[in-house]
Amino acid sequence: MGEMRGSHALRPPLAHVRVEIPAARRKRQTILMTPQPSAMPSAPGEARKRPLVAMAEVTKVFSSGTVALSGMSLTVESGEFISLLGPSGCGKSTALRIIAGLGDVSSGRIDWPSSRINSKGLPDGDISFVFQEPTLMPWKNVFDNVHLPLKLRGISKTAARDQIMQVLSTVGLQDFSEAYPRELSGGMKMRVSIARALVTKPKLLLMDEPFAALDEITRQKLNDDVLRLWKETGITVIFVTHSVFESAYLSNRIVVMKARPGRVHADLPLVTSLERDAHYRTSEEYRQACETVSHSLIGAINAAKEDR
């Protein structure tokens, strides 16, 4: 089949607004906040890169009449780690499912300018989804659960063994390939789910509040694991969360949404001078990032109230 590419008005180079935040006994930190794409001027003569995926004025109305999303536009560049942050009911999960092809738009469109598109309008094999629950098959062991997406592609367990064992090693479960879900902790089950998502080597990993039900220690460990995987593989991640602290720790860009109907309130790139690890969690830079994101989230909640 010939190569089909979506069309989209590409996002122009970022025009940053610098907000200088003073802090005693440390170097000055700069958090960069970006205006919406429509407000950002193009740099003359600068080459434009094709985005991985672009939502263009997407509206979603459910059969009940509920407007989940209204005119939402979002451009995602290859290699980004983006968190969708907002209150319950703001359409974060709906947006993620639409990108994954698990839901239709009522109006607007989803474009994949740099991918080959199949008959369903999606890039072939380029997307993986990690749900809120691990969604493992309880009658299958870890190896067989991770093998599932390859099995659906017609790849046998024998042919896939090395690939599966490699991804299990990546998530620290190489010694648990024969274990069953009932024998695993909540964090281990989620690692299996992540391994299953990564085994097909996707370009885009969609994660819908995957750690929300876990205890704080396990959640922080899995945050570190996901960051490491992102750095090692160069995969693009869109991560849905309710947590200011999680979004500020994981992301290099946070899209704050407001509710009823869901749309983008603020688009905040985060630039850090420190390695994101246990020391970063207690740093002044992280505290300032959380404060900035928290203020934006409060603004989104207040703006939604004013719109009613």
Side-chain angles (χ1 to χ4, degrees):
M1 182 172 67
E3 185 171 350
M4 299 171 59
R5 298 187 185 275
S7 62
H8 181 68
L10 299 180
R11 180 184 182 184
L14 296 178
H16 293 116
V17 176
R18 293 185 175 269
V19 179
E20 303 292 351
I21 303 174
R25 297 182 301 277
R26 69 176 180 87
K27 294 181 179 179
R28 186 172 64 181
Q29 177 211 9
T30 301
I31 295 179
L32 301 179
M33 295 190 296
T34 306
Q36 292 301 305
S38 60
M40 293 186 295
S42 300
E46 185 170 340
R48 292 181 178 181
K49 186 172 68 172
R50 286 180 177 270
L52 180 62
V53 60
M55 300 178 70
E57 294 295 322
V58 168
T59 293
K60 174 64 177 181
V61 183
F62 291 116
S63 57
S64 63
T66 300
V67 183
L69 298 173
S70 178
M72 181 173 175
S73 294
L74 176 68
T75 301
V76 180
E77 304 291 348
S78 179
E80 286 191 298
F81 196 123
I82 296 177
S83 284
L84 300 183
L85 175 69
S88 295
C90 73
K92 303 183 299 297
S93 295
T94 299
L96 207 67
R97 293 178 68 86
I98 286 174
I99 291 173
L102 299 177
D104 296 326
V105 303
S106 300
S107 63
R109 67 184 190 276
I110 305 293
D111 292 330
W112 301 88
S114 57
S115 298
R116 180 171 297 178
I117 306 303
N118 61 25
S119 59
K120 297 179 181 179
L122 296 170
D124 273 321
D126 284 350
I127 307 174
S128 285
F129 203 114
V130 178
F131 295 90
Q132 295 180 17
E133 299 293 331
T135 61
L136 304 180
M137 297 178 290
W139 62 92
K140 296 283 190 180
N141 63 23
V142 167
F143 186 96
D144 288 343
N145 269 283
V146 176
H147 175 240
L148 177 61
L150 298 178
K151 180 181 179 180
L152 295 175
R153 294 183 178 188
I155 303 174
S156 70
K157 286 198 286 188
T158 301
R161 175 163 293 277
D162 289 346
Q163 189 172 343
I164 293 171
M165 292 308 298
Q166 180 180 6
V167 76
L168 285 176
S169 178
T170 299
V171 299
L173 291 178
Q174 65 272 21
D175 296 330
F176 294 87
S177 63
E178 300 302 317
Y180 286 84
R182 64 179 178 273
E183 301 170 324
L184 305 177
S185 68
M188 293 171 76
K189 290 177 185 177
M190 191 53 69
R191 283 194 176 93
V192 178
S193 181
I194 293 171
R196 183 178 58 192
L198 293 176
V199 75
T200 57
K201 300 180 180 179
K203 290 181 181 178
L204 177 62
L205 180 61
L206 305 175
M207 307 186 79
D208 188 5
E209 297 188 76
F211 311 141
L214 301 176
D215 64 88
E216 190 64 21
I217 294 174
T218 303
R219 184 172 185 160
Q220 289 187 11
K221 179 63 173 69
L222 288 173
N223 282 167
D224 290 335
D225 290 344
V226 168
L227 267 182
R228 175 178 54 80
L229 291 169
W230 172 61
K231 292 174 183 177
E232 289 177 354
T233 63
I235 195 171
T236 305
V237 180
I238 305 179
F239 189 98
V240 166
T241 181
H242 285 103
S243 171
V244 167
F245 307 104
E246 187 171 56
S247 66
Y249 184 74
L250 289 174
S251 319
N252 61 6
R253 181 178 163 206
I254 299 173
V255 175
V256 180
M257 296 180 63
K258 60 181 179 178
R260 297 181 181 87
R263 63 271 200 212
V264 174
H265 173 73
D267 192 333
L268 309 175
L270 296 183
V271 179
T272 65
S273 61
L274 303 173
E275 185 70 19
R276 299 193 190 195
D277 54 19
H279 297 292
Y280 179 68
R281 290 186 187 277
T282 59
S283 70
E284 177 65 13
E285 185 168 317
Y286 177 58
R287 189 196 70 77
Q288 292 283 358
C290 289
E291 183 178 8
T292 298
V293 176
S294 180
H295 286 167
S296 181
L297 179 59
I298 292 171
I301 293 171
N302 290 337
K305 291 178 180 178
E306 292 172 1
D307 289 345
R308 293 174 194 169

